[in-house]
Amino acid sequence: MRHLISIADLTRADVERILETAGAFAGVEEKLPTLQGKLVLNLFFESSTRTSSSFELAAKKLSADVMSLKAAGSSLDKGESLKDTLLTLAAYDPHAIVIRHAQIGAPKLAARYSGAAVINAGDGKHQHPTQALLDLFAMRNALGHLEGLHVAIVGDVLHSRVARSLVQALSLVGAHATLVGPPTLLPRGIEALGCDTSTDIRDTEAADVVYVLRMQRERMESAYVPSLREYAARWGITPERVRPGQKVMHPGPINRGVEIDGRVADSPDSLILQQVRAGLAVRMAVLHDLLTADVPAPEAAAVA
């Protein structure tokens, strides 16, 4: 791979290679010299805790030099364009740029104006490929396989880059997604990605995994649901709506009592913290794949 901007950039072989590499890195506690002498820029122009911290830690665990920049306090606050910010930072000759931005297409802009490998950490409601990869990793670890899995993705699909990336990733590995939510939050034509849609919460019952999406109020320009209370009553994931053994996931941050009941989020079948742990290993694997094509990952057996 040259960049990771969209799940569409990947083949099934790419996904399987990254997951295998992540499995090897997951067993490594010590710092590795893999990216020694490489410069990784983390550019987060939207709020982030899990993604920004895991990318920074992933690069540092691989011995890269890391520079992190947020919009607040940067020249963007003074009216500088994203293009000029990217041209300025490209002058430092980074090997990789990890970028999150509200503007769809910002990672492609970074690839155009720098010679670095670019990783999309989320662009508007378009794509979030490493989130989808870590979700696959967590599912495989919990269930033992990906082929044939049925995943019900519930909630604010309309504004969700996570949902779009995950539907594509599931299709790549032979799994299937059903999108469930209010009709106002299910985008027209999204079935073209290879998924089903439903407005009936009971259609989550047969799924192996219930994947709960956050209600993204900051992206909502008008009222998509009558109220959050009504949303929680009709589509919120409560203990009564989850069968024993059915796994539950959420990309975070969680709105407890809105899209998911706290008892479900904290239950033994919740994979939410496993997703966080998976994020570090998968992002190490992506950095390794992009920056060290000729350097093998550590052997999983050697670190088991």
Side-chain angles (χ1 to χ4, degrees):
M1 297 188 301
R2 178 72 181 91
H3 306 291
L4 180 54
I5 292 174
S6 168
I7 289 295
D9 296 335
L10 303 175
T11 64
R12 181 167 184 162
D14 291 328
V15 172
E16 291 174 350
R17 182 182 66 252
I18 290 168
L19 297 186
E20 288 302 315
T21 303
F25 282 136
V28 177
E29 295 182 2
E30 69 272 16
K31 195 172 183 178
L32 299 172
T34 313
L35 297 186
Q36 199 161 21
K38 306 283 189 182
L39 175 60
V40 177
L41 301 185
N42 287 331
L43 311 181
F44 278 78
F45 301 130
E46 282 190 312
S47 298
S48 172
T49 298
R50 294 155 190 79
T51 307
S52 62
S53 60
S54 63
F55 264 118
E56 183 165 344
L57 186 55
K60 287 180 176 179
K61 285 198 72 171
L62 294 174
S63 300
D65 297 316
V66 182
M67 185 174 78
S68 297
L69 179 71
K70 298 183 183 297
S74 75
S75 292
L76 289 170
D77 276 351
K78 300 178 180 179
E80 183 174 69
S81 69
L82 177 60
K83 173 184 175 180
D84 286 324
T85 296
L86 291 169
L87 288 170
T88 298
L89 295 173
Y92 298 130
D93 295 324
H95 296 87
I97 293 176
V98 179
I99 182 169
R100 168 172 288 189
H101 200 282
Q103 177 184 325
I104 292 174
K108 287 187 176 181
L109 205 65
R112 183 185 307 165
Y113 293 119
S114 78
V118 174
I119 302 172
N120 182 2
D123 61 330
K125 56 185 181 181
H126 177 230
Q127 281 280 315
H128 193 354
T130 60
Q131 179 69 47
L133 291 170
L134 74 87
D135 290 335
L136 295 184
F137 186 77
M139 287 179 203
R140 191 178 70 170
N141 283 353
L143 297 168
H145 65 100
L146 293 171
E147 183 83 37
L149 284 184
H150 179 201
V151 180
I153 302 174
V154 183
D156 184 5
V157 178
L158 181 65
H159 301 95
S160 179
R161 56 195 173 211
V162 171
R164 287 169 176 78
S165 293
L166 184 55
V167 166
Q168 289 176 294
L170 289 168
S171 180
L172 262 184
V173 298
H176 182 69
T178 299
L179 306 181
V180 181
T184 52
L185 294 176
L186 294 174
R188 290 183 181 178
I190 198 165
E191 296 88 351
L193 294 180
C195 59
D196 299 324
T197 60
S198 171
T199 58
D200 189 342
I201 193 63
R202 290 173 295 182
D203 285 335
T204 65
E205 292 173 359
D208 301 293
V209 178
V210 177
Y211 193 102
V212 190
L213 298 172
R214 181 173 65 88
M215 287 292 284
Q216 299 193 39
R217 287 170 282 184
E218 72 276 15
R219 298 189 199 279
M220 294 186 181
E221 297 174 356
S222 58
Y224 288 87
V225 293
S227 69
L228 292 180
R229 178 179 295 181
E230 180 170 332
Y231 177 87
R234 294 192 62 182
W235 291 284
I237 301 303
T238 62
E240 297 75 24
R241 288 174 172 160
V242 180
R243 57 179 169 77
Q246 192 174 40
K247 302 304 180 185
V248 178
M249 302 176 72
H250 193 301
I254 297 169
N255 292 314
R256 290 174 182 258
V258 180
E259 70 265 7
I260 188 169
D261 189 294
R263 292 168 294 174
V264 176
D266 299 332
S267 72
D269 284 320
S270 169
L271 301 182
I272 294 171
L273 292 181
Q274 287 91 320
Q275 289 172 268
V276 176
R277 285 189 283 270
L280 176 59
V282 166
R283 286 164 179 142
M284 288 175 71
V286 169
L287 287 167
H288 177 278
D289 207 80
L290 287 171
L291 298 181
T292 60
D294 55 341
V295 179
E299 290 291 336
V303 296

